[in-house]
Amino acid sequence: MLHSTDMIRLGQLTKPHGIKGEMTATLDYDLDLLALKCIVIEIDGIFVPFFPEIVRPKSTETIILSVSGVSDENEAKELCGHDYYALNDDVEIDDSLDSSGGYLSDFIGFSLNNSDGTTAGEIIDFDDSTENILFIIRSTDGNRHLVPVAEDLITEIDPEAKVITMDLPEGLFD
């Protein structure tokens, strides 16, 4: 029997696409769903495996997904609104900050402090669309800034206090 701890959430099935059972879905990670053994959807408290048949991009944030056993709009509509998952053993997600097992999304809501003791702002999101991953910071004056997520800049992570301290480059918030 599958448990939620055996899986990682990949996204959400948002709405039917067309009449042949395809669905629009978000995909939170850059991975090939067709390479997975299956995706898993929780239906009435039971985790049910489905096998992706078609995956194609719709926009920068969504995909069109077709799974075996779903062949019309009504069947697709029943699955929409549900999150979908991959088995932990089946994926290797590449948004980790370091080898400690933390993920960038875990740091949303953390305060970002400079090593000189000043508060730079709050981490509100991250941008991993390029090779250089960036934290998106809302500074104390309300402006948004991009801060490179580089291990050599991070001096301390305090998960209890929800604070990351970094040696921030001078002029970054000018």
Side-chain angles (χ1 to χ4, degrees):
M1 182 173 201
L2 293 174
H3 299 282
S4 60
T5 56
D6 300 327
M7 296 173 282
I8 183 165
R9 181 185 176 279
L10 298 179
Q12 184 178 53
L13 304 169
T14 55
K15 63 183 179 179
H17 180 81
I19 60 172
K20 295 183 179 180
E22 293 181 323
M23 298 166 279
T24 300
T26 61
L27 180 58
D28 297 340
Y29 302 99
D30 183 20
L31 59 89
D32 179 8
L33 294 182
L34 294 174
L36 301 177
K37 293 175 193 156
C38 66
I39 62 169
V40 180
I41 303 169
E42 185 178 4
I43 301 172
D44 296 328
I46 299 171
F47 292 105
V48 179
F50 288 86
F51 304 95
E53 292 182 337
I54 297 171
V55 178
R56 65 181 191 270
K58 180 177 181 185
S59 72
T60 57
E61 298 173 1
T62 59
I63 59 171
I64 303 296
L65 173 64
S66 173
V67 296
S68 61
V70 178
S71 58
D72 67 37
E73 180 182 10
N74 292 327
E75 292 172 342
K77 190 180 288 187
E78 288 183 29
L79 296 178
C80 290
H82 289 83
D83 290 339
Y84 67 101
Y85 305 84
L87 301 173
N88 288 337
D89 296 340
D90 205 16
V91 294
E92 186 174 318
I93 303 301
D94 189 23
D95 75 344
S96 62
L97 178 62
D98 60 16
S99 59
S100 68
Y103 293 98
L104 289 171
S105 58
D106 295 339
F107 298 113
I108 295 173
F110 274 53
S111 290
L112 180 68
N113 292 348
N114 200 344
S115 56
D116 66 7
T118 59
T119 299
E122 177 187 357
I123 300 170
I124 58 172
D125 205 351
F126 63 92
D127 179 352
D128 62 352
S129 63
T130 64
E131 194 167 325
N132 296 318
I133 299 172
L134 304 165
F135 280 135
I136 301 173
I137 308 297
R138 183 182 310 115
S139 63
T140 54
D141 62 6
N143 292 320
R144 290 180 180 216
H145 300 278
L146 301 175
V147 174
V149 180
E151 287 187 55
D152 56 324
L153 296 177
I154 298 172
T155 58
E156 182 181 358
I157 299 175
D158 184 347
E160 323 267 291
K162 296 186 104 182
V163 173
I164 294 179
T165 304
M166 296 178 73
D167 280 328
L168 297 171
E170 193 151 329
L172 189 65
F173 287 81
D174 293 343

